[in-house]
Every structure is written in C-alpha cells, then in structure tokens.
Amino acid sequence: MDPLEVLRRSQRKGDIGRLGLGTLDAVVLHHPDYFDHVFREHHRRYVKEGPFWEQVRAVLGNGLPTSSGEEWRRHRRMMQPSFGRRRLEGLTSLVIDALEESLDWDDVGSSCSVLDVGARMPHLTMNVVSSAILGASSSRSRAQRI
C-alpha cells in the first residue's frame, strides 16, 4: 500500500494515529500543536532510543529529527534562525515564482478541468529548494534528471 495513503487514513481517524510497523506500534501526530508539545515543550520526556531509532539513525544520520538531549538542543539552535519569521517571509516570493514556472496555467485552459498538481510537485519542490539554497532556478528537465 502507498505510504502516503496509510498516513491519510490515519489522519482521517483523528489528530493522533497508530501505525503498525511489524512488532512495533508507532504514534503518528497529525496536528502542529502535538508536534510542538513533543518536539519543543516536552522533548525531555520523549527519548529516541532503542532498535527502531538506531535503524532510523543509520538511514538519516544523527541530525535534528533523530537526536535527543544536548545534541538535539545544539542542532535545534543551529537550525532555528532558518525558520524565523523574516527568513520564511523572504522565501514566499521563491515559492510564488516556482509555482508560476512549474504550473503551466495554459494546460488548464479557460474551462474547468483537472490539474494534477501532485505530478508537478517534484519539479516545484526542486525549484524552491534550488532557489533557496543555491540561488538558482532549476529547469524542468534538470529537476527531472535530479
């Protein structure tokens, strides 16, 4: 089954879901207030230890999502300026430009028709990320190659 569909089904059941991962049950949070509670306000209560987290670290490394304690605090402080209000407001124009470039409004036409935004998201995402990080726009063919 499609992993995104599994998450969608979990979200339809409420703001907190359960996801069966073989012998392990994972809790899935679907509301930003719960993320704030777990990852910021009460991060000391939620430790990232055990075999599951060891496997996650093997794949993702020991960064902000997988670290805890002082290491997590150091990673969070390092990342926090990137998510400040002024920084995010500055990215708004990048997102708008990427949307205008990625979504060919001529494809939609003047009649009411369906536009598959999901199929265009990889290019849109690559365009925003490359503009934000590298300061350059990515062409559609280049984004598809990447």
Side-chain angles (χ1 to χ4, degrees):
M1 177 177 277
D2 175 20
L4 288 177
E5 181 57 30
V6 171
L7 291 175
R8 283 187 200 106
R9 286 183 184 180
S10 173
Q11 185 178 26
R12 284 190 284 263
K13 293 179 183 177
D15 289 339
I16 299 177
R18 193 186 92 201
L19 185 61
L21 303 173
T23 60
L24 178 71
D25 279 341
V27 174
V28 183
L29 306 174
H30 298 292
H31 194 282
D33 290 344
Y34 297 147
F35 278 94
D36 190 58
H37 174 91
V38 171
F39 294 112
R40 192 180 62 81
E41 291 178 12
H42 302 285
H43 62 90
R44 286 185 185 94
R45 294 182 191 172
Y46 302 94
V47 295
K48 299 170 188 167
E49 297 175 358
F52 172 78
W53 284 104
E54 289 171 15
Q55 291 181 6
V56 172
R57 277 189 208 86
V59 174
L60 299 179
N62 202 23
L64 183 63
T66 58
S67 61
S68 57
E70 284 304 314
E71 187 171 18
W72 172 85
R73 187 180 331 282
R74 184 175 54 83
H75 285 275
R76 185 177 183 280
R77 285 184 181 148
M78 187 170 56
M79 294 295 296
Q80 190 166 353
S82 298
F83 295 95
R85 179 176 291 228
R86 286 189 194 122
R87 176 71 176 134
L88 292 177
E89 286 173 353
L91 295 176
T92 304
S93 63
L94 293 177
V95 173
I96 292 170
D97 292 345
L99 275 168
E100 288 176 348
E101 193 271 324
S102 295
L103 302 175
D104 296 324
W105 296 109
D106 293 334
D107 290 352
V108 177
S110 60
S111 64
C112 293
S113 59
V114 176
L115 177 65
D116 186 357
V117 177
R120 298 164 190 249
M121 287 307 289
H123 177 68
L124 173 63
T125 303
M126 179 57 66
N127 215 349
V128 172
V129 169
S130 64
S131 295
I133 294 174
L134 305 173
S137 180
S138 172
S139 70
R140 183 172 294 192
S141 62
R142 183 173 179 208
Q144 289 172 344
R145 282 195 317 266
I146 292 172

